[in-house]
Amino acid sequence: MDGYAWVTIIEIFLTEGNACFTSSQVEINKIKTGSSFYQECRCDDPSSGVNLIWLDANNKTILPLRPGTKSNVYSEWLDKHTYSVYISNISKSTSGAYKCVTKHSGQTYMLTYNVEAYDPPYFVNTKENQYVISGKDGIITCEARGENDLLIKWHKEGEELEITDDEKYKVTPEGLIIKEITKEDEGVYKCSASDLDTGEGIDRDIKVEVIATPSIKELVAFPNTTPTLGESFYIECLASGVPHPEYTFRKISDMDLAETNITWQQVGNRIVFDIIQEEDSGTYECIATNRAGISTKNISIEVFLPPIITEFDNVTAVEGSTTQIVCKATGIPTPQISVTFLGEESEDQSIVWDKKNPNVNETEFYLSFLRVNRTHEGTYQCNATNEVGSIMEEMQLFVLYPPHFNTSYEKVWAWKDKSINLSCEHQSNPKAVITWRYQGNEILATDLLEINRLMADKMHSNPLIIKNKTLYGIYECTARNEFGEAKKIIHLQEGFTPPAINNVTITKITSSSVTFSIEGPNEVNGPDVIGYRSEYDEIDNYNITNIHLNRTWAKDRSFKLDRLKPNTSYVIKFAAINDVGNGPWSNIFNFVTLDRSVPNEPDWDENVEQLVASDRVLKWKPADSSDTVEFYTLKYCPIYDGLIAKSLCEEEQIEPTDEFQLNKMDANTTYYFELVAQNALGNSSAVRITVTIPAEEEPTLSSGAIAGIAILVIFLCLVLLDFLLLIWRRQGIIASCCYKKTNKREVSINSRDKKGLLKENPENIDKLKRPSNGHKEYEYNKTTGAITGKHSSV
Ligand SMILES: *[C@@H]1O[C@H](CO)[C@@H](O)[C@H](O)[C@H]1NC(C)=O
Ligand SMILES: *[C@@H]1O[C@H](CO)[C@@H](O)[C@H](O)[C@H]1NC(C)=O
Ligand SMILES: *[C@@H]1O[C@H](CO)[C@@H](O)[C@H](O)[C@H]1NC(C)=O
Ligand SMILES: *[C@@H]1O[C@H](CO)[C@@H](O)[C@H](O)[C@H]1NC(C)=O
Ligand SMILES: *[C@@H]1O[C@H](CO)[C@@H](O)[C@H](O)[C@H]1NC(C)=O
Ligand SMILES: *[C@@H]1O[C@H](CO)[C@@H](O)[C@H](O)[C@H]1NC(C)=O
């Protein structure tokens, strides 16, 4: 207490003499902070004068409000004997004892009103919306503070009973613990706090939502985790959680996060790479977040790169040295390399190859030539391939070598006024420098001058062109490059026409034509003979005129004159021709054409039987004839059992030729052939042969064996005939033996056939069977003498 204040009070008491009340009492008032307080103090005995004052907690007199002032604590006269005090806003600082004091006879009486301000309970940390996590224990926070201990009570909206501690709930000063939260626990909870002392209570509705932590269910890449460079690509993340989680992505990188370029754009739960780049390879993290928590998952991406050939350079090597072609390629996955030579492959043991992988995603291919030569020169292709692509490049291997001539000596003919090119053709790499030298001797000084001029002019040219004035002699061409040199000698000689020919023989003469054989000349001092010329005429004309018929033949043609008159004497002379010109005429030859007549008979080829067996072709030598043979007539008949089947003979006219294909003939059958040549004058005599067409795919029988078999068959037939006649005569049936024999065979071949078909029309049956087995009754009686030819069997 302030001592000074007390002095003041005592002074007041001493100056006043009346008392309004004579009792003292103490009253306690608990008042909520912020509310107001009002207390009247009545003077019960106003007769002795109203003597009342109010003292505040500090024993200061509380004064009434004066106009224009404001005070939290003031006093007021309600009427003449009621004096009241107002506290408009109670706080802790205004708490204390407020006293109404009166005095009587030196006695001080006071009514004491203890005003105790108290704070009402209030909530701290109590949010109106709260979240608990599904599946876990959670707490609904509700903390209340107050002057005194507070009683906290919980209610859930829609439920009557107060929540008390049990298996599910536990009420704590911090809040309500709910165990094993499920969706059911969602709702509005009322938290009530009451001050038992003051009776003050507060409550709050708390809306509780049950949430779930995110969980990433799927993190997938499209189209796959190995996209190809340049493709569009995305990664999708799928997470569960309540509320629905938010997605973020990041690339996990050794570098600082800041340094990782974001090369994608996020669209919802995806990150999209419009054009994926090599540096986009790596591990990506999807982060799913909501109020309940966070979940992450990683995915690794490798961007596939199509192969790139990083090295495949042209190589130049000197022949005989060791060299190497290198192809290097990179790509993801690591590429495979192959190298191909676009040239003639050879089994070259001196070429070896090797492969290396110096780094992941890099392949090197080495093609080594232990001794490179010019056949290795050319284009090489390197092909690098991996799962996502293939690339091909080409390089050139250049092989350097000294000049080389295919022939080191050449003889060249020239003659008057002929331009000539002397060729110094060679192979070399690099290109060689050509120089010419002339070694002619015995030449005129003027010519030498000319040659020197020419050489100076054409020192390095190829070919050396010599025009108009021909300078014979030996020319030497030298081709030189940095790896060596080679020489070629060209002997330029004067060429002459061929000498006269005198060895001409007639190889064939007819009524209208003559064919010559021309020999030589043996030695030509000049270019080779390219043809022959002739001049001819009837002997009677020859001396009358200078204009004769002439004919020129190329060297390799048949030297034949035709459209001659029959039975006429001719004269003819010949000359050989070369590039220089016509040689001199030969001596004159005479010949006489033949009289016209029918052709001679043609002759069979020496190997006719062998050719029939092996090639199925009938060959002959063309018939000699004064007039041209116009056609041949070939007649052919099959032979059965050694007998010519005359009714089956056929005849064909053939254009002049010397062979006839036997494809339409029956196999395993012997034929009789007759050949006649015909010209304008008539037919030659016939030439005949009997040959057997071999069975198909069977070893052929020699003609001797065929003849032997034919004889044997006929012999057996005769024996059988004899025997059968004997038997059938006894039975009274007269029939040909062969018919019967055929009949019997048919039975044995096909017993169901019996004899029916054969009886009906035996001739038809025989024709039907002819190709494989021919026994002809009607031929039997007409046999003898018909089988002719080299191997007549009868
Ligand atoms: C290799 O040689 C070829 C043919 O001469 C040429 O076209 C090409 O440019 C060369 N390549 C390189 C890389 O020099
Ligand atoms: C390269 O080789 C692969 C496999 O042998 C083939 O499929 C591809 O067509 C080749 N590519 C080229 C450009 O030659
Ligand atoms: C000689 O060479 C020239 C030029 O190369 C050419 O025009 C001419 O036709 C050639 N002559 C002969 C006979 O080869
Ligand atoms: C004429 O040619 C024949 C053969 O064609 C030959 O035998 C003969 O020796 C040659 N005679 C002369 C003189 O060349
Ligand atoms: C060759 O004969 C024809 C007529 O057949 C004639 O015109 C030509 O002048 C003759 N040639 C010679 C070189 O006699
Ligand atoms: C050829 O014919 C004879 C009788 O004509 C026969 O015995 C032989 O089996 C036949 N050969 C072939 C291969 O057909």
Side-chain angles (χ1 to χ4, degrees):
M1 282 272 167
D2 192 325
Y4 174 75
W6 272 112
V7 173
T8 313
I9 294 166
I10 289 161
E11 275 176 356
I12 292 165
F13 288 161
L14 290 175
T15 54
E16 302 291 333
N18 300 329
C20 282
F21 49 82
T22 55
S23 64
S24 287
Q25 67 175 59
V26 177
E27 188 183 316
I28 296 171
N29 291 289
K30 294 199 172 192
I31 296 173
K32 186 157 66 168
T33 310
S35 53
S36 59
F37 176 73
Y38 165 75
Q39 184 65 50
E40 291 177 358
C41 184
R42 264 182 89 83
C43 183
D44 294 329
D45 184 11
S47 58
S48 57
V50 179
N51 179 14
L52 291 174
I53 56 171
W54 277 102
L55 298 177
D56 69 9
N58 300 322
N59 288 331
K60 279 189 177 163
T61 306
I62 300 169
L63 299 174
L65 276 181
R66 277 178 314 213
T69 63
K70 248 182 145 180
S71 177
N72 189 27
V73 181
Y74 61 92
S75 57
E76 185 180 18
W77 288 99
L78 289 182
D79 53 41
K80 289 242 164 59
H81 41 83
T82 309
Y83 193 35
S84 56
V85 69
Y86 284 99
I87 306 172
S88 46
N89 189 358
I90 297 285
S91 67
K92 296 275 178 184
S93 60
T94 55
S95 291
Y98 286 77
K99 291 147 295 218
C100 182
V101 180
T102 189
K103 277 187 184 167
H104 174 68
S105 310
Q107 284 278 45
T108 300
Y109 303 96
M110 95 173 64
L111 299 173
T112 305
Y113 300 93
N114 272 329
V115 175
E116 289 176 18
Y118 69 88
D119 288 333
Y122 58 95
F123 290 115
V124 291
N125 293 334
T126 306
K127 296 196 181 112
E128 289 184 357
N129 287 299
Q130 295 194 25
Y131 304 94
V132 289
I133 296 168
S134 174
K136 296 185 177 171
D137 296 351
I139 183 164
I140 305 173
T141 308
C142 179
E143 275 186 73
R145 304 263 165 80
E147 292 295 303
N148 308 293
D149 285 347
L150 297 170
L151 178 67
I152 305 276
K153 287 188 176 179
W154 289 91
H155 280 91
K156 189 174 179 195
E157 190 179 58
E159 285 175 21
E160 286 287 299
L161 293 175
E162 183 194 338
I163 294 172
T164 52
D165 285 2
D166 62 8
E167 291 198 340
K168 180 77 185 170
Y169 300 106
K170 185 166 167 45
V171 179
T172 70
E174 289 76 36
L176 175 67
I177 291 174
I178 310 175
K179 291 172 190 154
E180 306 211 341
I181 290 161
T182 67
K183 192 77 185 161
E184 308 288 290
D185 294 316
E186 213 161 64
V188 178
Y189 288 77
K190 187 185 285 291
C191 169
S192 317
S194 20
D195 188 329
L196 295 179
D197 275 5
T198 61
E200 284 282 341
I202 50 171
D203 50 37
R204 179 167 288 180
D205 284 344
I206 300 171
K207 190 176 173 218
V208 172
E209 278 180 60
V210 175
I211 59 177
T213 45
S215 162
I216 295 179
K217 302 291 179 207
E218 261 189 84
L219 180 60
V220 277
F222 293 92
N224 50 46
T225 56
T226 56
T228 303
L229 183 73
E231 276 183 353
S232 83
F233 170 78
Y234 67 92
I235 298 173
E236 188 172 87
C237 189
L238 276 179
S240 62
V242 182
H244 206 76
E246 302 265 307
Y247 296 94
T248 51
F249 291 87
R250 74 185 184 98
K251 187 175 179 184
I252 296 177
S253 140
D254 295 339
M255 293 185 290
D256 283 350
L257 203 62
E259 282 179 42
T260 311
N261 286 334
I262 308 274
T263 54
W264 63 86
Q265 53 179 350
Q266 184 172 347
V267 182
N269 62 334
R270 289 180 180 179
I271 49 173
V272 178
F273 299 78
D274 286 336
I275 295 176
I276 196 147
Q277 301 297 325
E278 185 179 355
E279 56 271 18
D280 291 329
S281 286
T283 302
Y284 290 83
E285 185 179 54
C286 168
I287 305 152
T289 322
N290 67 7
R291 278 185 221 101
I294 186 168
S295 171
T296 65
K297 195 168 183 181
N298 292 350
I299 186 169
S300 286
I301 300 302
E302 185 171 33
V303 178
F304 275 4
L305 305 180
I308 297 171
I309 293 178
T310 54
E311 188 185 322
F312 194 47
D313 298 331
N314 288 346
V315 171
T316 301
V318 177
E319 190 169 42
S321 66
T322 297
T323 193
Q324 199 171 52
I325 289 174
V326 183
C327 182
K328 296 184 181 176
T330 60
I332 301 175
T334 311
Q336 292 292 315
I337 290 186
S338 65
V339 171
T340 319
F341 176 45
L342 300 185
E344 275 182 31
E345 287 291 338
S346 61
E347 286 287 311
D348 197 333
Q349 303 296 321
S350 74
I351 303 176
V352 292
W353 62 270
D354 189 22
K355 251 184 211 180
K356 286 180 194 157
N357 289 91
N359 294 305
V360 183
N361 306 328
E362 185 167 4
T363 308
E364 294 180 353
F365 189 102
Y366 297 91
L367 192 64
S368 303
F369 301 85
L370 302 183
R371 277 181 63 80
V372 72
N373 67 48
R374 70 193 74 168
T375 66
H376 299 143
E377 185 168 85
T379 306
Y380 289 77
Q381 283 184 339
C382 177
N383 178 354
T385 306
N386 70 4
E387 277 81 341
V388 295
S390 172
I391 189 168
M392 192 271 289
E393 275 190 24
E394 292 188 350
M395 63 79 76
Q396 301 289 328
L397 172 63
F398 302 103
V399 177
L400 304 178
Y401 53 91
H404 170 80
F405 289 100
N406 285 337
T407 57
S408 58
Y409 176 84
E410 193 181 355
K411 192 192 265 188
V412 175
W413 300 101
W415 48 94
K416 188 176 172 322
D417 292 345
K418 172 165 165 77
S419 292
I420 190 156
N421 292 347
L422 300 187
S423 166
C424 189
E425 200 183 317
H426 63 278
Q427 298 96 45
S428 78
N429 194 5
K431 202 165 161 11
V433 173
I434 305 284
T435 52
W436 287 97
R437 226 151 61 83
Y438 181 68
Q439 293 183 334
N441 35 18
E442 299 168 19
I443 50 168
L444 300 173
T446 52
D447 285 351
L448 195 61
L449 210 64
E450 169 69 10
I451 284 172
N452 286 340
R453 198 189 55 75
L454 191 69
M455 287 296 168
D457 210 25
K458 304 283 176 71
M459 190 66 183
H460 301 306
S461 68
N462 175 31
L464 180 67
I465 302 169
I466 299 172
K467 280 189 183 148
N468 303 330
K469 189 166 174 65
T470 308
L471 301 161
Y472 305 109
I474 289 174
Y475 291 80
E476 185 187 87
C477 162
T478 306
R480 180 183 297 116
N481 68 11
E482 59 200 281
F483 301 101
E485 62 170 56
K487 282 195 172 73
K488 179 181 177 182
I489 303 292
I490 302 176
H491 193 174
L492 182 60
Q493 283 176 288
E494 181 166 14
F496 297 94
T497 58
I501 40 171
N502 285 306
N503 197 355
V504 176
T505 50
I506 290 170
T507 54
K508 185 173 175 182
I509 192 156
T510 69
S511 57
S512 64
S513 72
V514 62
T515 309
F516 301 99
S517 158
I518 303 174
E519 281 281 317
N522 287 341
E523 276 180 26
V524 181
N525 190 17
D528 290 341
V529 170
I530 56 170
Y532 297 99
R533 205 161 75 96
S534 67
E535 217 176 71
Y536 63 97
D537 214 334
E538 288 173 41
I539 200 160
D540 300 338
N541 283 342
Y542 200 76
N543 298 323
I544 299 169
T545 171
N546 273 338
I547 302 166
H548 306 298
L549 293 170
N550 63 66
R551 179 82 190 253
T552 302
W553 298 282
K555 191 169 188 280
D556 299 319
R557 290 298 181 80
S558 132
F559 311 124
K560 184 176 177 187
L561 292 178
D562 41 21
R563 282 187 232 114
L564 302 177
K565 289 184 188 161
N567 196 19
T568 308
S569 288
Y570 282 88
V571 291
I572 186 164
K573 59 185 179 182
F574 299 92
I577 309 168
N578 71 3
D579 282 341
V580 182
N582 297 332
W585 288 115
S586 66
N587 297 333
I588 287 175
F589 295 84
N590 292 293
F591 63 90
V592 182
T593 52
L594 300 181
D595 239 352
R596 299 183 69 194
S597 71
V598 298
N600 287 343
E601 66 172 35
D603 207 359
W604 299 114
D605 187 277
E606 288 93 345
N607 301 316
V608 62
E609 278 151 24
Q610 197 184 321
L611 287 168
V612 168
S614 61
D615 299 346
R616 288 197 162 214
V617 65
L618 193 67
K619 275 192 90 114
W620 58 89
K621 293 173 189 159
D624 282 336
S625 171
S626 62
D627 278 37
T628 316
V629 170
E630 284 165 355
F631 52 82
Y632 289 92
T633 306
L634 182 70
K635 180 177 170 188
Y636 51 93
C637 319
I639 298 177
Y640 299 114
D641 282 343
L643 307 173
I644 291 178
K646 285 215 170 138
S647 62
L648 295 174
C649 289
E650 295 193 37
E651 207 171 84
E652 283 192 40
Q653 277 195 354
I654 321 166
E655 294 296 302
T657 176
D658 61 353
E659 61 177 45
F660 182 73
Q661 297 294 333
L662 301 178
N663 294 336
K664 58 186 166 186
M665 307 287 163
D666 296 326
N668 196 19
T669 306
T670 304
Y671 278 87
Y672 163 75
F673 292 95
E674 214 176 77
L675 183 68
V676 170
Q678 184 172 344
N679 69 9
L681 297 182
N683 287 347
S684 70
S685 54
V687 58
R688 303 177 175 89
I689 196 171
T690 301
V691 286
T692 299
I693 313 291
E696 265 148 34
E697 313 275 314
E698 291 279 324
T700 54
L701 294 172
S702 76
S703 51
I706 291 165
I709 288 168
I711 292 166
L712 192 68
V713 166
I714 290 166
F715 175 73
L716 284 175
C717 203
L718 289 171
V719 168
L720 206 63
L721 168 74
D722 222 37
F723 178 68
L724 289 174
L725 278 175
L726 191 70
I727 293 170
W728 282 325
R729 198 169 285 157
R730 208 189 294 161
Q731 292 175 342
I733 298 163
I734 300 164
S736 94
C737 70
C738 283
Y739 169 73
K740 291 299 173 189
K741 198 169 75 182
T742 305
N743 198 352
K744 275 229 152 160
R745 274 195 196 166
E746 287 301 325
V747 171
S748 71
I749 288 167
N750 185 350
S751 59
R752 264 189 291 169
D753 194 67
K754 299 297 177 191
K755 294 166 190 172
L757 278 175
L758 298 167
K759 273 176 188 163
E760 257 178 50
N761 191 347
E763 283 193 17
N764 279 349
I765 295 302
D766 279 347
K767 270 188 184 142
L768 225 63
K769 300 286 177 189
R770 182 175 56 81
S772 56
N773 190 357
H775 295 279
K776 305 293 180 205
E777 180 198 7
Y778 47 85
E779 283 163 7
Y780 181 72
N781 292 327
K782 306 171 184 171
T783 49
T784 45
I787 300 168
T788 55
K790 281 183 179 172
H791 306 289
S792 176
S793 53
V794 176

